[in-house]
Amino acid sequence: QISTTYNTASKAAARVMEEHPECRIYCVDSRRMSGALGLPTIYAQVMQNEGKTMDEVIAWLEENKYKVHQMGPIDDLMFVARRGRISTGKAILGSFAGVKPMGDCNSTGYVTVLTKVKGIKKALDVTVAYTKEAAVNVEDQIVLVVHSNREEYALQLCEKLREKISPKKIVMGDVYCASGTNIGPGMVGVYFLGENVSENCETEKEIMNRVLESCK
């Protein structure tokens, strides 16, 4: 639903395996994009390095793909407006007010906006608090922090995550062109594993409401 990548990859895999029957290729429909696709890719590489079989890696990816969550603000609403996602008027007013939309992945892989906060400091604090609430055994997790031309904010987020929840490892990187053209500059977010995403993000909305109460 998000892109044609999975269908294209599946057709290419079928063609390769037809010409080379000894070859085995498995395509995972991640139902995720950007960092939410990057995080399970990191775990797959770790499992491969640990000597896990192809079937074990595939099983983990299929079992956990709906457990990948994200949280973080968008700092530049004008690009979002240029993509037609909000009106220019709302983008201008939101930018003047310092409003930062924040969302999590839904069951289709798109992002559901859970709240809007004012100011980057509060946005980063809410991001960390949400991660602490929504993640499962985060101290044993690899978490991924990515940004689009907001390295300073990403570094601040990494520091806050280390201070408040101490994940096993934090990996930081950029949002690359394929996803960056959709979100534009100004995005910073963390990706982590939690429970399966709920229908219409109802559970995630409840978590965010508790977080906002605690961050007043």
Side-chain angles (χ1 to χ4, degrees), residues 113-130:
V113 175
L114 301 183
T115 190
K116 299 172 185 175
V117 302
K118 289 186 178 181
I120 190 63
K121 182 182 183 300
K122 183 172 183 180
L124 295 180
D125 288 341
V126 169
T127 298
V128 174
Y130 182 88

Side-chain angles (χ1 to χ4, degrees), residues 25 45 54 58 64 91 96 101 125 141 157 164 176 180 189 204:
I25 303 173
Q45 182 65 61
M54 182 176 178
I58 290 169
N64 288 278
F96 275 124
D125 288 341
Q141 286 193 37
L157 179 55
K164 299 294 184 181
Y176 291 102
E204 289 71 25

Side-chain angles (χ1 to χ4, degrees), residues 89-167:
K90 286 183 177 180
I92 293 172
L93 290 174
S95 296
F96 275 124
V99 172
K100 317 293 182 188
M102 304 177 68
D104 198 350
C105 305
N106 57 38
S107 57
T108 65
Y110 289 101
V111 175
T112 294
V113 175
L114 301 183
T115 190
K116 299 172 185 175
V117 302
K118 289 186 178 181
I120 190 63
K121 182 182 183 300
K122 183 172 183 180
L124 295 180
D125 288 341
V126 169
T127 298
V128 174
Y130 182 88
T131 304
K132 185 175 182 179
E133 281 270 336
V136 174
N137 299 325
V138 70
E139 65 278 1
D140 297 324
Q141 286 193 37
I142 301 169
V143 301
L144 176 61
V145 172
V146 301
H147 68 94
S148 58
N149 199 31
R150 290 297 185 274
E151 183 177 11
E152 179 184 352
Y153 295 160
L155 289 169
Q156 290 179 30
L157 179 55
C158 288
E159 186 59 33
K160 288 175 180 288
L161 289 166
R162 290 190 188 98
E163 179 184 344
K164 299 294 184 181
I165 62 178
S166 300

Side-chain angles (χ1 to χ4, degrees), residues 5-6 8-14 25-30 54 58 62:
T5 305
Y6 174 74
T8 303
S10 296
K11 291 175 182 178
I25 303 173
Y26 184 88
C27 297
V28 179
D29 186 353
S30 66
M54 182 176 178
I58 290 169
E62 291 291 358

Side-chain angles (χ1 to χ4, degrees), residues 167-181:
K168 180 180 178 181
K169 184 175 183 179
I170 299 175
V171 178
M172 193 179 100
D174 299 321
V175 176
Y176 291 102
C177 297
S179 295
T181 54

